Amino acid sequence: MGYPPERRRRARLKLRQVVRVRPSDAHLNFDEILPTLNTTRESVYFASKNGTYVEGLRVFITFPYSDSPGSLNRESLGRVVRIDDLGQGRRGIAIEILMPLYVGGKETHR
């Protein structure tokens, strides 16, 4: 029995990094800082118990994220593209990074 063809354009890295995720919709209210399970340059995958995530949800994502003094955290716009049931109330959240956020022709750094 064969395996389905690989759809990813780049290999996933299993190196854990920290990501900050918050909704772009002002009516939703969450702010999570979580370790990734795997990453590419265009996407991140992490586990969360937050039930707010749905496919298509747009989020602001800071990746990689650091709370160290002087860190240059770059926030981007992302979209939830897949949600997996990981058991025990945990869900795997796959987010495609759409674009960095720019203000006045300059990329913003927070």
Side-chain angles (χ1 to χ4, degrees):
M1 181 174 184
Y3 292 97
E6 178 61 52
R7 296 183 311 170
R8 294 183 183 115
R9 288 175 274 162
R10 297 187 186 265
R12 294 213 171 257
L13 300 175
K14 296 209 182 217
L15 175 68
R16 288 190 179 231
Q17 296 186 31
V18 177
V19 64
R20 179 183 181 202
V21 184
R22 61 191 187 88
S24 67
D25 182 339
H27 295 98
L28 300 175
N29 186 21
F30 67 86
D31 190 340
E32 295 193 297
I33 298 171
L34 303 159
T36 61
L37 299 176
N38 60 56
T39 65
T40 70
R41 285 178 48 185
E42 297 94 13
S43 64
V44 298
Y45 184 74
F46 57 89
S48 174
K49 290 187 175 188
N50 184 339
T52 307
Y53 294 103
V54 294
E55 285 187 28
L57 177 68
R58 290 188 181 254
V59 294
F60 295 127
I61 183 164
T62 306
F63 170 73
Y65 174 79
S66 175
D67 61 0
S68 298
S71 295
L72 294 177
N73 292 312
R74 187 177 81 194
E75 190 168 64
S76 300
L77 181 64
R79 178 174 52 95
V80 176
V81 293
R82 189 178 82 245
I83 299 174
D84 302 322
D85 182 1
L86 302 178
Q88 299 177 336
R90 295 176 62 223
R91 301 187 315 154
I93 311 296
I95 296 181
E96 175 186 20
I97 299 171
L98 300 173
M99 67 168 80
L101 296 179
Y102 293 88
V103 174
K106 281 181 111 174
E107 189 172 350
T108 62
H109 292 278
R110 294 179 191 196

